[in-house]
């Protein structure tokens, strides 16, 4: 932990659906070591929450466009569901906090509000109603966004074929 001494404060996850920020999750480790592995207390923040407004604005407005250019994917859709996890670090100005990316994930992103029933014998019927409603907002957005992506690709193919 010497390279990221503030990891014990947790990670800040930006949960994205394509280019839309769905929720910000502060994952605070219960053991005080690292938020990796699921032994964390999750606190959820809506986009625009003052606690992470600066990080959100920089990530969405500056970082993502720069990363897309650097990776050569500026003309490609972002993944349907993906995350960026940030670790706090001391800012250049004493008493301030900056964030470093710990990881990007688009291959195995969980839906946090359904996490308690993953594996074993529990099913979606065992998810508390409030969590089910919140998770359904995410899955609904994913479905709507998937349809948008398919429609955009179909339009691009029709244009490429000279069909109006």
């Amino acid at each position: 932990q010497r390279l990221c001494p503030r990891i014990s404060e947790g990670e800040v996850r930006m949960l994205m659906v394509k280019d839309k920020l769905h929720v910000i999750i502060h994952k605070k480790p219960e053991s005080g070591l690292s938020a990796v592995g699921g032994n964390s207390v999750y606190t959820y923040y809506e986009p625009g929450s003052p606690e992470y407004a600066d990080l959100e604005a920089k990530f969405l407005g500056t970082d993502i466009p720069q990363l897309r250019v650097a990776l050569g994917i500026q003309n490609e859709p972002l993944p349907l569901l993906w995350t960026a996890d940030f670790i706090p670090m001391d800012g250049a100005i004493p008493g301030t906090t900056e964030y470093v990316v710990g990881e990007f994930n688009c291959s195995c992103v969980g839906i946090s509000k359904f996490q308690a029933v993953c594996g074993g014998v529990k099913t979606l019927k065992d998810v508390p109603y409030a969590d089910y409603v919140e998770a359904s907002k995410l899955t609904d957005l994913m479905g709507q966004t998937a349809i948008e992506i398919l429609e955009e690709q179909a339009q691009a193919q029709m244009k490429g074929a000279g069909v109006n």
Side-chain angles (χ1 to χ4, degrees):
Q1 306 295 338
R2 75 181 164 87
L3 297 177
C4 293
R6 291 180 57 188
I7 188 67
S8 62
E9 296 173 31
E11 297 178 356
V12 177
R13 170 168 285 176
M14 301 281 181
L15 179 62
M16 304 290 296
V17 176
K18 193 179 172 198
D19 57 355
K20 300 175 191 99
L21 175 61
H22 177 70
V23 69
I24 301 166
I25 307 167
H26 180 228
K27 302 184 326 177
K28 174 93 169 123
E30 292 178 327
S31 65
L33 293 176
S34 172
V36 177
N39 296 322
S40 303
V41 175
Y42 286 42
T43 305
Y44 297 87
Y45 298 89
E46 293 293 320
S49 293
E51 294 87 347
Y52 298 107
D54 291 342
L55 175 61
E56 177 185 338
K58 184 177 181 302
F59 182 58
L60 298 177
T62 303
D63 296 342
I64 291 175
Q66 288 178 348
L67 285 167
R68 293 182 80 178
V69 170
L71 295 171
I73 60 168
Q74 62 269 30
N75 297 319
E76 300 292 327
L78 290 167
L80 179 61
L81 183 65
W82 63 284
T83 64
D85 291 348
F86 296 87
I87 300 168
M89 58 185 234
D90 292 336
I93 300 169
T96 64
T97 296
E98 295 177 4
Y99 292 88
V100 62
V101 172
E103 75 171 312
F104 293 105
N105 186 353
C106 62
S107 63
C108 187
V109 177
I111 298 174
S112 299
K113 297 286 185 169
F114 288 159
Q115 190 171 358
V117 299
C118 290
V121 296
K122 292 186 177 183
T123 70
L124 288 178
K125 290 185 268 183
D126 298 305
V127 174
Y129 181 74
D131 288 352
Y132 185 86
V133 169
E134 285 301 312
S136 293
K137 290 178 186 176
L138 173 58
T139 56
D140 289 350
L141 178 60
M142 290 169 60
Q144 293 165 353
T145 304
I147 290 169
E148 290 171 12
I149 292 169
L150 292 172
E151 288 173 347
E152 290 167 3
Q153 289 179 343
Q155 287 176 353
Q157 287 178 349
M158 287 173 45
K159 266 188 184 174
V163 178
N164 292 331

